[in-house]
Amino acid sequence: MSTTPAQATPRVLVYTATAGYRHDSIPTAIEVLGQQQAGWNVSFAFSEDPNMFTNDTLSTFDGVMFVLNSDQVLNDTGMAALQTFFQKGGVYTGVHSGSACLYNDTNYQQATFERLNTTFPATANVPDRWTFEEEVYNFRSDPRDNGAVVVLTVDESSYTNNGTSSGNYPSQGSPHPIAWYIESPLSAQPLMANVPKAGRSFYTSLGHLNSTWQNETFINHVMSGLKWALDGASTRAYGVGLVGNNTSGASASASSGASGSSGASGSASGTASRTSATGSGAASASGSKSAGERVVGVAIPGGGKGMVAAAGVVGAVVAGVSIVL
């Protein structure tokens, strides 16, 4: 699991578009991520504009990070561009609903998450047993079938799972997957010519509440997973590949490169840019807890079984909720 130092600051597009339920933790996630840039040597561009997903625009990024999305947030053109991005060595990271299909009408619960891997960067600093209030995702397929290595699970006796699924789906496998990595995602195949390797993938299903995004252990969990994925060295920031930042010495400040951007608050550790949502698939009005949370990831053409194939899953349901797909 080797890593390679970057030759330039890796650029990551953080996509928080919603077309259904909207997490009230999105502003907190943006603020917190923006504060991490200099310390982790990464440059973020925050956007909810689906028009960012073109071959030309994505080619300037080393990675994409889907955070707290809902419903179908990209059209066919955007999905095709994302697939091409992966085939060119682009990196994927997903947080919470950034890869799931779910419907949520329940209360949050205390749950105890268990570390399965003590050496992987995203779990190296996580307690062996980590208890806090969170949603627990149940996935419609086993990410291990797509090459995932599960690094975090959940103690099934620590929460009440009274949800039911409306479909007959394959098992998610055991132990229950909560966070995982993939060294060479199926979504990147076939690689484009002159691309030496696929971009790595990291996904965590945690991150629903504002309080989670304010937890230093969780922040380290997310950023360590992202940094591990980038340090797989499949992009221009590392001197290879067909996508990414190849400007040596680029500062840890993000620019979206798209019209309609406005400044988002950062800190001494870097200033993040923010692109307003325009066009189909952009952010909708905020949902409510009673209205339910229905989260859909991005279907990647040719990317395996479906929903965010880069993450290695088909979809998800949440413990204590019912699927209505």
Side-chain angles (χ1 to χ4, degrees):
M1 196 182 294
S2 63
T3 60
T4 301
Q7 300 175 16
T9 301
R11 297 187 70 233
V12 177
L13 174 61
V14 180
Y15 193 52
T16 55
T18 58
Y21 176 86
R22 189 167 179 84
H23 289 77
D24 63 10
S25 55
I26 288 176
T28 304
I30 291 170
E31 180 180 6
V32 169
L33 289 172
Q35 294 168 355
Q36 309 306 311
Q37 296 178 100
W40 291 88
N41 188 35
V42 62
S43 177
F44 286 133
F46 298 93
S47 182
E48 297 196 353
D49 186 355
N51 296 312
M52 294 284 284
F53 286 79
T54 67
N55 290 336
D56 287 345
T57 300
L58 289 180
S59 70
T60 67
F61 292 98
D62 298 88
V64 294
M65 190 174 189
F66 280 71
V67 179
L68 299 168
N69 311 97
S70 67
D71 281 316
Q72 192 63 29
V73 293
L74 288 179
N75 59 22
D76 290 345
T77 300
M79 290 189 291
L82 184 59
Q83 171 67 20
T84 299
F85 176 75
F86 293 141
Q87 291 176 304
K88 290 181 176 180
V91 167
Y92 170 84
T93 299
V95 181
H96 194 54
S97 54
S99 73
C101 294
L102 59 93
Y103 194 93
N104 182 10
D105 58 6
T106 189
N107 295 321
Y108 316 117
Q109 301 180 47
Q110 288 280 333
T112 297
F113 301 95
E114 297 181 325
R115 181 169 62 167
L116 297 176
N117 187 311
T118 61
T119 60
F120 183 67
T123 50
N125 295 311
V126 168
D128 288 334
R129 289 178 60 83
W130 185 18
T131 302
F132 59 99
E133 193 173 31
E134 183 60 275
E135 289 179 323
V136 178
Y137 278 17
N138 287 288
F139 296 92
R140 293 183 174 181
S141 67
D142 187 346
R144 284 159 286 225
D145 292 342
N146 289 321
V149 177
V150 177
V151 295
L152 199 65
T153 186
V154 64
D155 180 347
E156 302 288 6
S157 67
S158 68
Y159 67 98
T160 301
N161 182 357
N162 58 357
T164 58
S165 173
S166 62
N168 182 19
Y169 301 105
S171 169
Q172 66 181 348
S174 180
H176 186 143
I178 293 295
W180 60 82
Y181 69 86
I182 305 178
E183 182 71 43
S184 184
L186 296 178
S187 57
Q189 303 301 323
L191 293 174
M192 296 284 187
N194 300 318
V195 175
K197 63 190 300 187
R200 289 171 168 176
S201 167
F202 170 73
Y203 172 76
T204 179
S205 64
L206 306 179
H208 183 89
L209 296 173
N210 282 290
S211 57
T212 305
W213 282 96
Q214 294 162 344
N215 181 292
E216 289 297 330
T217 300
F218 172 76
I219 295 168
N220 184 273
H221 171 61
V222 170
M223 293 302 301
S224 295
L226 169 65
K227 194 63 165 59
W228 170 84
L230 291 168
D231 284 350
S234 61
T235 63
R236 288 173 178 161
Y238 297 82
V240 300
L242 301 178
V243 298
N245 178 26
N246 59 0
T247 304
S248 179
S251 63
S253 64
S255 173
S256 68
S259 61
S261 62
S262 60
S265 61
S267 69
S269 59
T271 301
S273 72
R274 180 87 168 122
T275 301
S276 59
T278 58
S280 62
S284 67
S286 297
S288 66
K289 193 67 181 172
S290 60
E293 174 189 0
R294 184 175 186 277
V295 182
V296 176
V298 180
I300 301 172
K305 291 185 176 181
M307 303 300 175
V308 189
V313 298
V314 175
V317 299
V318 170
V321 302
S322 301
I323 286 295
V324 292
L325 301 179

